[in-house]
């Protein structure tokens, strides 16, 4: 009887896994690598794999996820159409020679992402958390109308409470304050922790909150964006979240090396639009309506060309990834890449390999301190392939490297929230600034070269001599990489 019951349960579990595998293979039209990864999980971990699939494997319903009629009022559709047509018939006015060289990339972002080109920006680069948050707090303190804050991780530790207390002060002064955070990234933080801010007149929303405690069918789709917009005139975008570790105060990670931008100019408007779209998706009854206060006119701030590009599982194209691939393909001299995770798809790997084999100086920097073990060893496996193609690999030793940056030829660059992995390319909601400016790109390249002095090169010999245990970790992690 016991044997019969056991046999019945085994048959039931195997049948259930087969039934789950059918939609993955035939209905969801995933990439083969992702399909095989889920099939492996389902068959090697029948019960646990079933639960994981329900939580992490189901595709996101895209219909009407982000809606905001205010885009028509700020004239963004007309501006997009004008820029596309002008680029097509070669009548577009490039006030900056640096941008004109990248008209194909600019057009691609316009057509796939409605990312307008602005040419009047000033950009300040921050690679140190203390400096970045000092500047941010100053902008918060001097805000005159509104403060919009969006972070993947917002911790109520020393840094988080410092920012939180400043927001309360501004809300009590009558400044409009809105905070949006991701539930998965900010686990442990709840709306009740923002009670004093809400009582002072501030507003707080959560992206993709759980239906019930510990039950969230959209758990796998995370809003990884980090944006701050102050008065519609100043914007922040980059890799820093809010937490003491981003100030280098976590013993596990040590110094936190990241890249963040402070922007003034017309590109603040696309940053504002992105925030409003995300806010309205998360809000049940506090939608932001169009108002001139969010899109003020101002005199020209600088001469940096910028496009703000978003991507996520809601869109048809992997906009940031194809922007990365196109940018690398346009390099003539060098490509510098910084990323905490390197788990690319075939298209990205091919772009980097082609650059290497074409004689381009390709340098990739990854951290020495892993924060996700499987991701770290999967990164090592992909890096090994590029060493064979001629890429130079650097392991950052001065703490944790969290920067998401690509620079080519001292001419163009991109900084934002998107890592080089399947999650950022396909599952996370991300945002990057694509920069068409020699001076800014040169500054980013100099930061990379300074970081090289704090890094160890992973030579072909050193990689070939890694232990069998590391090789085994790489192999297992790589099999699971499409769903990490």
């Amino acid at each position: 009887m016991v044997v019969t019951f056991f046999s019945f349960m085994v048959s039931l579990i195997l049948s259930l896994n087969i039934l789950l595998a059918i939609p993955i293979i035939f209905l969801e039209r995933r990439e083969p690598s992702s399909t095989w990864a889920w099939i492996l999980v389902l068959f090697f971990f029948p019960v646990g794999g079933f639960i994981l699939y329900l939580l992490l494997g189901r595709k996101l319903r895209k219909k009407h996820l982000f809606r905001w009629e205010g885009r028509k009022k700020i004239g963004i559709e007309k501006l997009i159409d004008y820029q596309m047509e002008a680029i097509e018939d070669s009548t577009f006015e490039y006030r900056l020679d640096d941008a004109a060289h990248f008209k194909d990339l600019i057009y691609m972002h316009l057509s796939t992402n409605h990312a307008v080109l602005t040419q009047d920006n000033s950009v300040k680069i921050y690679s140190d958390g203390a400096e970045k948050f000092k500047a941010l707090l100053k902008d918060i303190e001097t805000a005159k109308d509104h403060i919009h804050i969006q972070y993947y991780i917002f911790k109520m530790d020393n840094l988080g409470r410092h920012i939180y207390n400043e927001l309360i002060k501004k809300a009590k002064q009558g400044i409009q304050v809105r905070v949006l955070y991701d539930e998965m990234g900010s686990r442990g933080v709840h709306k009740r922790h923002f009670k004093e801010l809400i009582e002072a007149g501030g507003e707080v929303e959560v992206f993709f909150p759980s239906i019930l405690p510990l039950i969230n069918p959209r758990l796998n789709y995370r809003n990884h964006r980090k944006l701050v917009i102050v008065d519609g005139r100043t914007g922040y975008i980059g890799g820093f979240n809010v937490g003491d570790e981003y100030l280098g105060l976590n013993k596990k990670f040590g110094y936190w090396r990241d890249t963040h931008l402070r922007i003034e100019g017309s590109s603040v408007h696309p940053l504002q639009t992105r925030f409003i779209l995300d806010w309205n998706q998360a809000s049940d009854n506090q939608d932001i309506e169009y108002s001139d206060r969010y899109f003020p006119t101002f005199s020209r701030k600088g001469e940096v060309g910028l496009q703000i590009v978003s991507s996520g599982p809601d869109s048809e194209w992997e906009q940031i990834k194809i922007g990365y691939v196109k940018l690398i393909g346009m390099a003539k001299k060098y490509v510098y890449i910084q990323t905490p995770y390197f788990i690319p798809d075939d298209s990205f790997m091919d772009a980097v390999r082609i650059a290497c084999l074409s004689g381009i100086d390709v340098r990739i920097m990854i951290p020495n301190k892993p924060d996700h073990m499987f991701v770290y060893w999967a990164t090592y496996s992909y890096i090994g392939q590029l060493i064979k193609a001629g890429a130079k690999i650097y392991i950052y030793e001065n703490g944790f490297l969290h920067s998401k940056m690509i620079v080519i030829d001292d001419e163009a660059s991109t900084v934002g929230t998107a890592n080089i992995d399947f999650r950022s390319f396909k599952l996370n909601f991300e945002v990057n600034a694509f920069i068409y400016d020699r001076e800014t790109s040169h500054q980013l390249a100099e930061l990379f070269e300074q970081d090289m002095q704090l890094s160890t090169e992973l030579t072909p010999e050193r990689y070939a001599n890694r232990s069998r245990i590391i090789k085994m970790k790489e192999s297992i992690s790589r099999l699971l990489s499409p769903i990490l």
Side-chain angles (χ1 to χ4, degrees):
M1 179 67 73
V2 174
V3 174
T4 302
F5 178 75
F6 179 76
S7 300
F8 170 75
M9 290 303 298
V10 170
S11 299
L12 180 64
I13 291 171
L14 289 175
S15 299
L16 183 61
N17 278 278
I18 291 171
L19 289 173
L20 279 170
I22 288 173
I24 291 176
I25 297 171
F26 295 107
L27 301 179
E28 294 196 349
R29 295 183 179 271
R30 299 173 183 269
E31 289 188 353
S33 58
S34 179
T35 298
W36 280 112
W38 274 116
I39 290 174
L40 283 171
V41 169
L42 288 170
F43 279 90
F44 281 100
F45 307 99
V47 178
F50 170 70
I51 296 171
L52 280 174
Y53 175 72
L54 290 178
L55 290 175
L56 306 179
R58 299 169 66 191
K59 284 198 170 183
L60 181 70
R61 294 183 64 183
K62 304 175 183 179
K63 190 175 181 181
H64 304 316
L65 190 59
F66 296 101
R67 300 180 67 183
W68 183 52
E69 295 302 318
R71 285 187 290 183
K72 294 179 181 178
K73 296 183 179 179
I74 63 174
I76 193 168
E77 285 90 349
K78 290 182 179 179
L79 181 58
I80 291 163
D81 291 341
Y82 160 72
Q83 289 194 352
M84 288 181 62
E85 291 174 6
I87 291 173
E88 287 171 356
D89 60 24
S90 300
T91 61
F92 186 79
E93 180 185 358
Y94 292 100
R95 295 203 300 269
L96 310 171
D97 293 337
D98 296 342
H101 180 64
F102 293 92
K103 64 179 181 180
D104 293 347
L105 177 57
I106 291 167
Y107 181 87
M108 185 184 77
H109 286 319
L110 273 167
S111 62
T112 62
N113 197 235
H114 294 174
V116 297
L117 172 68
T118 61
Q119 304 180 79
D120 63 347
N121 305 283
S122 64
V123 174
K124 170 70 175 176
I125 303 168
Y126 293 100
S127 60
D128 177 80
E131 293 180 0
K132 180 258 180 173
F133 286 107
K134 180 180 179 181
L136 176 61
L137 284 163
K138 183 178 179 181
D139 284 326
I140 289 173
E141 290 169 7
T142 57
K144 300 288 192 297
D145 183 78
H146 65 271
I147 303 165
H148 289 163
I149 289 184
Q150 175 178 358
Y151 281 102
Y152 173 61
I153 297 172
F154 195 111
K155 292 187 177 181
M156 282 298 184
D157 52 16
N158 291 331
L159 175 62
R161 290 202 170 276
H162 188 179
I163 294 173
Y164 178 61
N165 289 335
E166 290 301 320
L167 295 176
I168 293 171
K169 289 180 185 178
K170 299 307 291 188
K172 289 180 177 179
Q173 294 172 12
I175 305 301
Q176 190 175 68
V177 176
R178 293 186 174 101
V179 176
L180 174 63
Y181 65 91
D182 182 86
E183 182 180 74
M184 177 62 184
S186 303
R187 50 192 178 277
V189 173
H190 305 281
K191 266 194 173 182
R192 66 176 182 272
H193 294 121
F194 294 89
K195 180 181 177 182
E196 191 174 353
L197 174 61
I198 294 170
E199 290 176 346
E203 300 174 40
V204 179
E205 291 293 350
V206 185
F207 195 88
F208 281 179
S210 298
I211 298 172
L212 295 171
L214 304 178
I215 298 177
N216 190 341
R218 298 182 293 185
L219 177 70
N220 205 30
Y221 302 102
R222 308 166 189 172
N223 196 318
H224 197 237
R225 296 167 181 148
K226 298 102 178 168
L227 299 173
V228 178
I229 301 93
V230 179
D231 293 342
R233 298 178 181 275
T234 304
Y236 287 82
I237 179 175
F240 284 108
N241 288 292
V242 175
D244 287 347
E245 66 261 44
Y246 302 98
L247 299 177
L249 300 178
N250 185 298
K251 292 182 179 179
K252 176 184 176 182
F253 296 113
Y255 181 74
W256 191 279
R257 168 67 176 89
D258 220 320
T259 307
H260 220 91
L261 305 178
R262 180 183 185 273
I263 299 170
E264 291 183 292
S266 295
S267 270
V268 177
H269 288 180
L271 291 176
Q272 184 82 284
T273 301
R274 181 70 267 164
F275 176 87
I276 292 174
L277 287 166
D278 286 1
W279 176 273
N280 287 355
Q281 188 286 324
S283 172
D284 291 329
N285 54 14
Q286 300 182 94
D287 281 5
I288 300 175
E289 301 293 339
Y290 170 77
S291 173
D292 288 336
R293 67 190 293 189
Y294 302 127
F295 300 92
T297 57
F298 39 75
S299 58
R300 187 171 179 176
K301 291 292 182 180
E303 295 185 341
V304 176
L306 278 175
Q307 282 180 294
I308 303 300
V309 180
S310 302
S311 66
D314 60 310
S315 53
E316 181 179 0
W317 308 103
E318 298 163 15
Q319 289 96 336
I320 293 177
K321 187 206 76 175
I322 63 176
Y324 284 173
V325 170
K326 179 73 172 175
L327 192 63
I328 292 167
M330 299 181 78
K332 298 292 187 292
K333 299 175 183 176
Y334 76 80
V335 178
Y336 291 171
I337 299 172
Q338 282 184 327
T339 178
Y341 320 119
F342 191 84
I343 309 178
D345 63 5
D346 290 341
S347 63
F348 191 95
M349 282 292 284
D350 284 342
V352 178
R353 270 193 291 250
I354 289 168
C356 290
L357 298 173
S358 301
I360 306 299
D361 179 10
V362 176
R363 305 183 188 190
I364 302 172
M365 190 176 295
I366 60 174
N368 185 38
K369 294 177 180 287
D371 63 341
H372 301 290
M373 195 57 68
F374 279 107
V375 174
Y376 183 75
W377 293 118
T379 290
Y380 239 66
S381 73
Y382 285 98
I383 286 296
Q385 287 184 258
L386 294 179
I387 290 176
K388 294 178 182 179
K392 296 177 182 177
I393 309 301
Y394 296 89
I395 311 298
Y396 185 75
E397 304 285 0
N398 188 41
F400 186 68
L401 178 73
H402 193 247
S403 173
K404 304 96 164 53
M405 178 192 71
I406 300 178
V407 188
I408 69 161
D409 299 348
D410 274 15
E411 292 183 349
S413 50
T414 178
V415 171
T417 69
N419 299 308
I420 297 171
D421 60 12
F422 287 91
R423 174 160 295 283
S424 280
F425 290 169
K426 296 179 179 295
L427 300 176
N428 285 350
F429 297 93
E430 307 281 6
V431 61
N432 269 51
F434 280 76
I435 307 162
Y436 312 105
D437 180 64
R438 290 178 182 271
E439 182 178 348
T440 305
S441 298
H442 179 69
Q443 290 176 23
L444 290 167
E446 284 187 325
L447 282 173
F448 185 98
E449 290 165 0
Q450 290 170 18
D451 291 334
M452 284 172 52
Q453 306 304 312
L454 302 170
S455 304
T456 301
E457 185 175 356
L458 183 60
T459 62
E461 295 77 19
R462 183 182 167 195
Y463 182 76
N465 291 328
R466 70 200 188 283
S467 68
R468 289 183 180 179
I469 294 177
I470 291 178
K471 291 177 182 178
M472 185 180 298
K473 289 178 179 178
E474 287 183 20
S475 298
I476 295 171
S477 299
R478 185 167 180 133
L479 281 174
L480 297 174
S481 62
I483 60 172
L484 289 176

